Amino acid sequence: MKEINLSHFFSQMNAKGEYRYITEGNSGFIIPRKEDEYYKPTIIIKRLDELEKITKEYLKVASEFYQQTDKLQLKHDYNYFLNHLFYNMTNSDATDLNEYVKKRISFFKDQHLKEYNLLSLLISNKDYCIYCKRDISNLGFESPYVLKFKIEMNGQSYDLPLIRYAIDDHNRCHIFAIQFERTVKRDNKKEEYKSVVNSINSGIKKYRNVEPSFVLVFKLFIDLLSKEGIQDILVPDYLFSRYRNYYGAKTVKKSDQILERILDHYILLLQRMEYQYKEFDISSYPNEIDSFTHISLNKKRKK
């Protein structure tokens, strides 16, 4: 990857017109074009003299991270990586670009759960076995790591939902997504193991729309985090990349409706976890403190 030149990057940004870059002394602002202001906040740079240094470190760490895979391609130059940074930040991240870049650097350096780089058995009984494996995500996804789960029963193997996550240098786990792999044929496979995943469903009418397989993998995941001594989880609300994906709905109102529906399902899953597991406590929701839902594990509840 060629040497980073932030001045060139910012001049290109101004030329393309998606953002406007301005400076004031040792600080700077990256301002979206007027028609994008609804879903792209102004990005604040508090120390310009520090930004180039930490950006170089980010590019070095990121390229080395992906070089161990077959995912890095010639098209993935520093413009690609920097644009990826912008599209995976929250409104809170945008208030200090330097700190956000440092956080993303720490994601790549994380060594938690590395023992699951090989397929590992989590649960084994006479009826089924559950395994997990930590993989590196493709470039462009919100997090460098993805934890994949599968269940084996009656001589068959079925994919469970996966978790896209990252752990920062403050020992906080950021969960970006809990979802089925797009290639999984959910309707065909769900019936085969529904007796297992439904066994965790306590018949809670309020949360009947929360799919039990999501609760199952989430509980397995927080058990793994607890063994690592991790007690804090952050779940972001809006990422630019998500809004961009649904901005094709033509109207802001329609985009909002789609995103709200996704986030509502996510919040319902978090509330179901809190209801069902005493070690899971939602400390705050987005916009109460920042752009994240804050979750505490194995701590005394405030309520």
Side-chain angles (χ1 to χ4, degrees), residues 152-164:
E152 291 184 351
M153 56 189 306
N154 300 326
Q156 299 291 322
S157 178
Y158 307 105
D159 291 320
L160 291 167
L162 55 80
I163 297 181
R164 300 193 184 279

Side-chain angles (χ1 to χ4, degrees), residues 115-148:
E115 63 268 35
Y116 299 102
N117 287 349
L118 298 175
L119 189 65
S120 304
L121 180 65
L122 295 182
I123 296 176
S124 177
N125 59 38
K126 64 183 180 64
D127 298 316
Y128 61 88
C129 294
I130 296 179
Y131 298 85
C132 79
K133 185 179 186 298
R134 185 179 81 157
D135 281 341
I136 292 177
S137 295
N138 290 325
L139 275 77
F141 281 102
E142 307 96 326
S143 65
Y145 289 114
V146 55
L147 203 64
K148 298 180 178 180

Side-chain angles (χ1 to χ4, degrees), residues 31-56:
I31 303 170
R33 58 188 177 185
K34 190 170 183 62
E35 56 266 39
D36 292 344
E37 287 178 351
Y38 184 81
Y39 69 102
K40 288 183 181 178
T42 295
I43 301 170
I44 300 171
I45 306 169
K46 294 185 176 180
R47 288 192 57 186
L48 283 168
D49 57 353
E50 181 188 49
L51 180 62
E52 187 148 349
K53 177 183 175 182
I54 60 176
T55 302
K56 287 180 179 178

Side-chain angles (χ1 to χ4, degrees), residues 8-221:
H8 176 66
F9 175 76
F10 287 136
S11 66
Q12 282 189 318
M13 179 186 294
N14 284 339
K16 290 179 180 177
E18 290 189 13
Y19 286 96
R20 182 165 52 92
Y21 172 65
I22 60 174
T23 61
E24 291 182 3
N26 194 34
S27 62
F29 302 89
I30 302 172
I31 303 170
R33 58 188 177 185
K34 190 170 183 62
E35 56 266 39
D36 292 344
E37 287 178 351
Y38 184 81
Y39 69 102
K40 288 183 181 178
T42 295
I43 301 170
I44 300 171
I45 306 169
K46 294 185 176 180
R47 288 192 57 186
L48 283 168
D49 57 353
E50 181 188 49
L51 180 62
E52 187 148 349
K53 177 183 175 182
I54 60 176
T55 302
K56 287 180 179 178
E57 182 184 359
Y58 169 79
L59 291 172
K60 178 177 181 293
V61 170
S63 60
E64 289 176 352
F65 179 86
Y66 287 110
Q67 277 171 358
Q68 63 184 297
T69 73
D70 59 356
K71 304 177 190 301
L72 198 60
Q73 302 173 22
L74 288 176
K75 67 178 181 179
H76 296 136
D77 59 7
Y78 69 76
N79 285 342
Y80 179 93
F81 277 94
L82 293 182
N83 284 322
H84 179 255
L85 272 176
F86 290 160
Y87 280 116
N88 285 294
M89 60 168 51
T90 67
N91 288 327
S92 295
D93 293 324
T95 62
D96 191 336
L97 179 59
N98 293 22
E99 289 303 310
Y100 169 66
V101 176
K102 291 176 185 177
K103 180 174 75 174
R104 300 297 302 197
I105 290 171
S106 71
F107 286 175
F108 290 117
K109 294 182 176 181
D110 172 52
Q111 295 297 310
H112 291 92
L113 305 179
K114 64 181 180 180
E115 63 268 35
Y116 299 102
N117 287 349
L118 298 175
L119 189 65
S120 304
L121 180 65
L122 295 182
I123 296 176
S124 177
N125 59 38
K126 64 183 180 64
D127 298 316
Y128 61 88
C129 294
I130 296 179
Y131 298 85
C132 79
K133 185 179 186 298
R134 185 179 81 157
D135 281 341
I136 292 177
S137 295
N138 290 325
L139 275 77
F141 281 102
E142 307 96 326
S143 65
Y145 289 114
V146 55
L147 203 64
K148 298 180 178 180
F149 298 84
K150 71 173 185 175
I151 184 169
E152 291 184 351
M153 56 189 306
N154 300 326
Q156 299 291 322
S157 178
Y158 307 105
D159 291 320
L160 291 167
L162 55 80
I163 297 181
R164 300 193 184 279
Y165 77 97
I167 298 173
D168 65 27
D169 54 5
H170 297 289
N171 231 29
R172 299 173 302 190
C173 179
H174 300 247
I175 297 180
F176 293 95
I178 302 176
Q179 59 191 175
F180 276 100
E181 193 85 68
R182 289 175 183 157
T183 56
V184 172
K185 296 180 180 179
R186 294 172 59 182
D187 290 339
N188 294 335
K189 295 185 175 183
K190 183 179 177 182
E191 294 300 320
E192 298 292 336
Y193 59 80
K194 72 176 184 178
S195 61
V196 175
V197 296
N198 283 346
S199 66
I200 63 165
N201 189 340
S202 305
I204 309 166
K205 185 176 181 180
K206 181 179 179 182
Y207 303 115
R208 64 182 180 275
N209 291 330
V210 177
E211 194 165 328
S213 59
F214 282 64
V215 180
L216 173 60
V217 299
F218 207 162
K219 179 60 168 67
L220 293 172
F221 186 59

